[in-house]
Amino acid sequence: MQKERLRGSPLLVYLVFALDPFVFLAQGQTDTPLTPALFIFGDSLIDSGNNNYIPSIARANYFPYGIDMGIPTGRFCNGLTVVDYGARYLGLPLTPPYLNPTSKGRKILRGLNYASAAAGILDETGQHYGARTAFNKQISLFEITVTVQLPPFFQTAAELSQYLAKSVFIMNIGSNDYINNYLLPNKYISSHIYSGEAFADLLVNIFTQQLTRLYMIGARKMVLIGVGPLGCIPSQLSQASGNIGCVERVNKLVTLFNNRLIQLTNTLNASLPGSIFVYQNSYDIFHDMVINPSKYGFMETNKACCGSGRYGGDLTCLPLQKPCENRNQYIFWDSYHPTQAVNAIIAQGCYTEAATGCYPISIRQLAQL
């Protein structure tokens, strides 16, 4: 896969990028995108830089993050995220982070990214990282967008409602409720209170309320992204004894949640008039990459390209740490997150014409409705 790189004088690039990084990242947009806008909610897997603007330990605004974009943006990756590729497939520019001071004016008509590293479905999730914008708060910020920021660009409330109804909403949330809550029994009480089944029920029940709230604000086309195989990430492997491949207990917990998420997709499609919910199965494609890496061109299946300790999972990528050189052959960029190469493959599974990784239709088809 060709690396994404910026061109021009390094000093000029840095100065302009510091003012507005998305000046450089509008590649792929067209005058006739498949959907008016992309509104993104979630965690560090798709955070495009929101945590740069809050007092949080969970940040990625330093090298070598962004090394294949030419500069760190706050993405927890060496390059682009799944939704970055998704925006390109839909003919949109990369979606700017809501908290960036330059994310205002007509620019927001193509969408906003509210995702925040360490965020979860539960408000308390990730609190040991300091500030983060939990999913409930992300929805509140979107409500401000709809009631304050967007109305000046529409002549009537009906026009705004139609715009929202045609836009696509992406939800990638839930991973932190496990790795930064339930699987940290010394910091959180959830695993002492709930069985795996009961915790999955709790998450889905709260998630249902949150999605219903988004619906009431005006969202209609919503994509629910399943949690990936967390038992295969370097941070979990580093805590396990022996060479076990993946931590199956963790993967089983995640599967409990994902199975309920598929059921939720059907339930909401039937119960919320005019809504279209799509489930993106990121678990199976990611797990297949780990099990059958050569099929996708990968060599390293469990070691972080940038990290320290066992599997590179004891301590995640540090400022100015030298990463691996053959990044396109690694599945994991740091202790928690996939490489750009993996993100590109996952995006192909749902945003292209031949996509088979979404249910009941692809995101491309959803955008065209």
Side-chain angles (χ1 to χ4, degrees), residues 40 44-48 69 75-77 79-86 113 339-340 343-344 347:
I40 298 166
S44 58
L45 289 169
I46 54 175
D47 184 349
S48 59
M69 295 179 77
R75 290 168 170 78
F76 289 75
C77 186
L80 299 176
T81 66
V82 174
V83 292
D84 291 332
Y85 283 108
N113 186 323
T339 58
Q340 174 179 260
N343 290 334

Side-chain angles (χ1 to χ4, degrees), residues 5 15 73 81 83 87 93 117 125 130 151 156 169 173 206 209 211 227 263 279-280 322 329:
R5 294 196 179 278
L15 290 176
T73 61
T81 66
V83 292
T125 288
T156 65
F169 293 75
I173 198 84
I206 294 175
Q209 298 170 21
L211 294 172
V227 174
Q263 296 170 5
Y279 173 74
Q280 183 175 355
K322 183 176 175 59
Q329 296 179 8

Side-chain angles (χ1 to χ4, degrees), residues 2-14 24 27 69-70:
Q2 184 178 359
K3 296 178 181 177
E4 307 292 334
R5 294 196 179 278
L6 303 177
R7 299 176 180 175
S9 163
L11 179 58
L12 178 61
V13 165
Y14 179 80
F24 286 95
Q27 301 176 34
M69 295 179 77

Side-chain angles (χ1 to χ4, degrees), residues 179-353:
I179 59 175
N180 286 310
N181 189 326
Y182 193 78
L183 294 171
L184 294 178
N186 294 330
K187 289 184 170 68
Y188 298 88
I189 63 171
S190 54
S191 63
H192 301 286
I193 299 175
Y194 301 101
S195 66
E197 296 269 0
F199 189 66
D201 287 336
L202 173 71
L203 292 180
V204 170
N205 287 339
I206 294 175
F207 198 33
T208 301
Q209 298 170 21
Q210 294 165 331
L211 294 172
T212 302
R213 183 181 168 201
L214 271 174
Y215 173 84
M216 297 302 294
I217 298 171
R220 291 296 181 268
K221 300 179 181 181
M222 294 186 244
V223 179
L224 312 183
I225 303 177
V227 174
L230 299 178
C232 303
I233 66 176
S235 68
Q236 290 297 311
L237 295 178
S238 69
Q239 301 173 45
S241 58
N243 184 8
I244 59 173
C246 293
V247 184
E248 288 307 314
R249 170 183 170 266
V250 174
N251 283 348
K252 287 179 180 178
L253 286 171
V254 167
T255 300
L256 293 174
F257 174 76
N258 286 341
N259 289 342
R260 286 161 172 76
L261 204 56
I262 297 171
Q263 296 170 5
L264 179 61
T265 302
N266 294 326
T267 299
L268 293 177
N269 276 331
S271 62
L272 296 179
S275 69
I276 309 172
F277 285 83
V278 169
Y279 173 74
Q280 183 175 355
N281 182 4
S282 60
Y283 183 100
D284 284 348
I285 181 66
F286 204 118
H287 191 259
D288 194 48
M289 289 186 226
V290 173
I291 301 302
N292 301 298
S294 61
K295 186 166 74 173
Y296 302 91
F298 296 116
M299 298 290 291
E300 289 288 348
T301 63
N302 54 19
K303 184 179 179 182
C305 174
C306 187
S308 302
R310 191 162 175 251
Y311 298 105
D314 289 339
L315 191 61
T316 198
C317 196
L318 297 173
L320 301 181
Q321 183 175 349
K322 183 176 175 59
C324 66
E325 294 185 359
N326 52 336
R327 293 181 284 280
N328 288 337
Q329 296 179 8
Y330 275 67
I331 290 179
F332 294 100
W333 160 247
D334 64 11
S335 302
Y336 302 94
H337 307 96
T339 58
Q340 174 179 260
V342 168
N343 290 334
I345 294 171
I346 294 175
Q348 289 172 2
C350 260
Y351 288 91
T352 61
E353 292 182 4

Side-chain angles (χ1 to χ4, degrees), residues 17-23 25 38-40 47-53 73 75 93-115 141-142 144-146 148-150 153 163:
F17 205 99
L19 293 173
D20 187 0
F22 290 86
V23 167
L25 303 179
L38 197 60
F39 291 98
I40 298 166
D47 184 349
S48 59
N50 282 307
N51 275 31
N52 296 352
Y53 305 97
T73 61
R75 290 168 170 78
L94 302 192
T95 312
Y98 175 87
L99 294 179
N100 186 320
T102 68
S103 296
K104 55 187 176 182
R106 298 194 66 84
K107 178 191 300 186
I108 70 173
L109 288 173
R110 290 304 188 196
L112 285 167
N113 186 323
Y114 304 85
L141 295 178
F142 172 66
I144 293 173
T145 297
V146 172
V148 178
Q149 296 172 285
L150 285 174
F153 301 107
Y163 159 84

Side-chain angles (χ1 to χ4, degrees), residues 112-131:
L112 285 167
N113 186 323
Y114 304 85
S116 173
I121 293 171
L122 303 179
D123 289 344
E124 65 269 23
T125 288
Q127 63 188 3
H128 60 289
Y129 282 104

